[in-house]
Amino acid sequence: MVSVKVLNASKKFDGKKVLDDVTFEVKDGSFTSILGPVGAGKTTLLRIIAGVEFPDNGSIYFGDKDVTMIPAKERNVAMVYQTFALYPHMRVFDNIASPLAIRGVPKTEIEKRVKEVAELLKIGHLLSRYPRELSGGEAQRVAIARALIKKADVYLFDEPLTNLDYKIRESMRGELRRIFRELGGTIIYAASDPLDTFTMAQYVVILHRGKVLQTGTVEEVYFNPKNVDVSRILARPPMNLIDAELKVRGDKYILDMKGVEIDVSHLKDLLKEKEYIVGIRPEHLFFPTGEERKVISFPSTVIVTEIEGSESIIHLDWEGCKLMMYYPYIKRLAPGERLIVSAKLKNLYIFSKKNGELIARYSREVA
């Protein structure tokens, strides 16, 4: 195991900047997710850490060793790509064994390690099959086994669940969490789906348009997103963002969202602008009973309801503003149905309209 430091790394392709002054550190033995939308630069960053690509500027350290210009074969890194890339003419056993065979490891040692990693991934019954005889989930397990057999210092995963269907992805997250817990090691996992990050990672690096927006534990970044972009990237569904105008009435400071007013007088020392964005997470919207206190409500119209497994994502229209609500059970609502959803004041986020930076949570100031 080893820590990984990326310092001021930049990379261009055909004049286009893919990574822009990227800096972060991955702790020895930790599981860190690099989370960002498609095109954020995640794959390029992993390839630079692996030594397959080299940065135009900046440095890569494994522990205290500068490995920036050391090629991949000398870094003891294992990488699993988005595509499984198994050798079609080889049985599963030989696919898993291939990194060791290339190194000239004795056959008895290869056999021992293949059996060990196959047991870890519960694929011992597949060793005699060819890739064409595997399901998507089985093929991904084989690709992961081939990476793990190297006993690398650093394991890199480039969105390995992306090409699997919903149910397989769901079960594989649980499997990978178990495997990584038993394996140990320093793991860097690129993801565009925040569920991968929530389910498996300890730490997260938010990457957007080639820049690092925020780093920290998953919980720290989730509860205190630095800006609007982070609030939408580390969220599923993305945070609802509503424009608001600051109004001063005597000694009262009010944020007005299309007629829904919030008293923010306790935050007046932080509120120096005229326009803001109020953020409400979809899981913080609920159907009110009338007994709740310190809430705001949105009389809305149902657009559509998405059922994902045993959960529902309800799309709503409120005064021309699109809202999303997460409901932890199956809830079937008809398009056009009228209803009221509410949110507790303590769960609101207030962002600057000018630059998108987080100014405060309603219940707590942000330093």
Side-chain angles (χ1 to χ4, degrees):
M1 294 188 292
V2 68
S3 64
V4 176
K5 282 186 285 187
V6 179
L7 301 175
N8 309 111
S10 297
K11 185 70 178 179
K12 286 183 179 179
F13 291 110
D14 299 324
K16 180 184 177 183
K17 189 166 278 190
V18 178
L19 295 176
D20 187 0
D21 198 31
V22 168
T23 295
F24 65 92
E25 182 171 358
V26 174
K27 294 182 179 181
D28 182 3
S30 70
F31 188 128
T32 298
S33 172
I34 299 173
L35 178 66
V38 174
K42 302 184 296 294
T43 297
T44 300
L45 181 53
L46 288 190
R47 287 170 64 84
I48 286 173
I49 294 171
V52 179
E53 298 276 358
F54 299 106
D56 299 331
N57 303 101
S59 305
I60 312 297
Y61 283 82
F62 284 6
D64 296 325
K65 183 179 180 181
D66 186 343
V67 298
T68 309
M69 302 310 293
I70 293 177
K73 64 182 180 180
E74 297 175 28
R75 291 197 190 188
N76 195 26
V77 168
M79 188 162 178
V80 177
Y81 292 92
Q82 193 176 111
T83 52
F84 310 148
L86 300 178
Y87 300 115
H89 62 289
M90 290 184 180
R91 296 183 188 273
V92 166
F93 181 100
D94 297 312
N95 263 284
I96 296 172
S98 58
L100 302 184
I102 291 169
R103 293 181 178 184
V105 174
K107 286 186 177 181
T108 52
E109 177 65 13
I110 289 176
E111 195 164 314
K112 173 173 171 279
R113 284 167 63 175
V114 168
K115 286 181 178 177
E116 286 175 351
V117 77
E119 183 178 342
L120 177 65
L121 279 99
K122 299 181 179 177
I123 54 173
H125 62 294
L126 303 176
L127 293 178
S128 62
R129 295 186 190 177
Y130 286 98
R132 63 179 177 272
E133 300 172 307
L134 305 176
S135 68
E138 289 169 343
Q140 190 57 286
R141 283 186 176 87
V142 174
I144 292 168
R146 186 172 59 189
L148 300 188
I149 203 169
K150 289 178 67 175
K151 294 187 177 177
D153 292 325
V154 181
Y155 297 95
L156 306 175
F157 293 83
D158 187 13
E159 303 197 55
L161 305 184
T162 297
N163 294 327
L164 303 177
D165 67 35
Y166 176 78
K167 277 296 180 188
I168 297 175
R169 279 203 312 273
E170 206 172 46
S171 64
M172 278 298 293
R173 286 189 188 105
E175 276 294 288
L176 287 176
R177 184 169 54 188
R178 174 190 65 81
I179 291 162
F180 296 148
R181 187 171 58 245
E182 293 180 24
L183 172 73
T186 302
I187 296 163
I188 304 176
Y189 187 108
S192 55
D193 187 341
L195 279 184
D196 294 344
T197 302
F198 286 131
T199 304
M200 296 183 285
Q202 299 164 283
Y203 300 91
V204 64
V205 176
I206 305 293
L207 192 67
H208 185 51
R209 295 177 180 171
K211 290 179 175 286
V212 172
L213 300 186
Q214 191 171 352
T215 64
T217 68
V218 175
E219 290 79 11
E220 287 168 353
V221 177
Y222 177 77
F223 286 113
N224 292 292
K226 185 179 178 183
N227 55 37
V228 164
D229 287 328
V230 174
S231 78
R232 290 183 67 82
I233 292 170
L234 187 60
R236 193 173 186 272
M239 182 182 280
N240 295 300
L241 301 172
I242 305 170
D243 288 340
E245 182 181 356
L246 182 65
K247 296 180 177 179
V248 181
R249 299 176 187 149
D251 61 351
K252 293 281 189 183
Y253 279 61
I254 304 294
L255 278 182
D256 185 341
M257 302 183 296
K258 296 178 181 288
V260 175
E261 296 188 343
I262 310 166
D263 186 342
V264 288
S265 302
H266 63 296
L267 299 173
K268 64 183 181 181
D269 292 343
L270 297 172
L271 303 176
K272 308 298 183 184
E273 301 169 17
K274 182 71 174 173
E275 295 181 310
Y276 295 88
I277 297 171
V278 173
I280 307 173
R281 294 196 182 278
E283 59 269 33
H284 289 156
L285 288 174
F286 60 91
F287 297 114
T289 63
E291 298 178 3
E292 299 85 3
R293 299 178 60 197
K294 295 184 178 180
V295 302
I296 52 173
S297 296
F298 304 93
S300 304
T301 303
V302 175
I303 301 172
V304 69
T305 302
E306 297 179 68
I307 308 296
E308 292 189 356
S310 59
E311 304 166 337
S312 304
I313 308 298
I314 304 167
H315 297 255
L316 303 165
D317 181 285
W318 166 70
E319 300 291 334
C321 179
K322 301 296 186 290
L323 300 178
M324 296 177 73
M325 174 184 180
Y326 167 80
Y327 193 73
Y329 307 101
I330 293 175
K331 183 85 170 175
R332 300 190 187 278
L333 297 169
E337 188 173 336
R338 295 286 295 170
L339 47 75
I340 295 174
V341 294
S342 298
K344 294 182 179 179
L345 291 175
K346 68 178 184 179
N347 291 328
L348 303 184
Y349 291 77
I350 301 169
F351 299 92
S352 166
K353 179 73 178 289
K354 187 184 297 183
N355 59 24
E357 296 293 308
L358 178 64
I359 292 173
R361 292 170 61 183
Y362 182 89
S363 60
R364 182 171 62 86
E365 295 183 6
V366 174

